[in-house]
Amino acid sequence: MALPTTMKGLVLHEDNTIKLDTALPVPSPTFGAVIIRVLAAQANPSLVRMLRSDGNSHAFTQPRPLVAGSYCIGRIAAVGPDATVLSEGQLVVVDTFVRARDDPTVQILWGMHDGSAPETKKLHLAWRNGS
């Protein structure tokens, strides 16, 4: 399945604005990753408030710009070079947590929160674009 060159996403910018970008570059699959063609994504009514930390006692931190989003359902459009089980065309449900392969205790809330430890912040830099 050919990957498009661009995609759409709600982008959280440095100035705390959230805007729809219709020309984001589609990433290439790297080791330990797949590219998902999103069919449906969760629309959390509190997403904007959570990202901006408006009146939220648990402020989420994240690098910006950030494509927000978490749970989604989609089809695998491309797989990384080390894929062993997943393949193009498979229907998948994507969880909100990404865990480091070499240390499962290092985890982030995908497309939302980069955690508090240096290891989690580093992981989120690679996985900051959600559904």
Side-chain angles (χ1 to χ4, degrees):
M1 165 180 327
L3 286 177
T5 56
T6 60
M7 64 182 185
K8 291 188 266 184
L10 288 175
V11 181
L12 175 64
H13 294 277
E14 290 290 338
D15 63 359
N16 235 17
T17 60
I18 299 175
K19 297 177 185 162
L20 177 65
D21 189 333
T22 59
L24 294 168
V26 172
S28 296
T30 59
F31 289 92
V34 297
I35 305 299
I36 306 292
R37 186 178 311 270
V38 176
L39 301 174
Q42 177 188 33
N44 185 331
S46 301
L47 178 66
V48 172
R49 188 175 57 80
M50 289 186 304
L51 289 173
R52 291 182 176 162
S53 301
D54 295 345
N56 196 343
S57 60
H58 302 290
F60 287 158
T61 58
Q62 66 278 112
R64 297 180 187 194
L66 168 86
V67 177
S70 55
Y71 289 109
C72 73
I73 296 171
R75 291 207 179 269
I76 296 176
V79 297
D82 59 342
T84 59
V85 177
L86 299 174
S87 61
E88 288 184 22
Q90 266 184 298
L91 185 64
V92 293
V93 174
V94 179
D95 187 8
T96 56
F97 283 95
V98 173
R99 293 163 186 85
R101 258 193 206 183
D102 53 346
D103 183 355
T105 65
V106 174
Q107 59 184 353
I108 58 162
L109 187 55
W110 177 56
M112 291 288 291
H113 180 46
D114 64 358
S116 57
E119 298 84 6
T120 63
K121 292 184 180 303
K122 183 177 178 181
L123 181 63
H124 204 262
L125 283 173
W127 292 88
R128 71 203 220 172
N129 291 333
S131 58

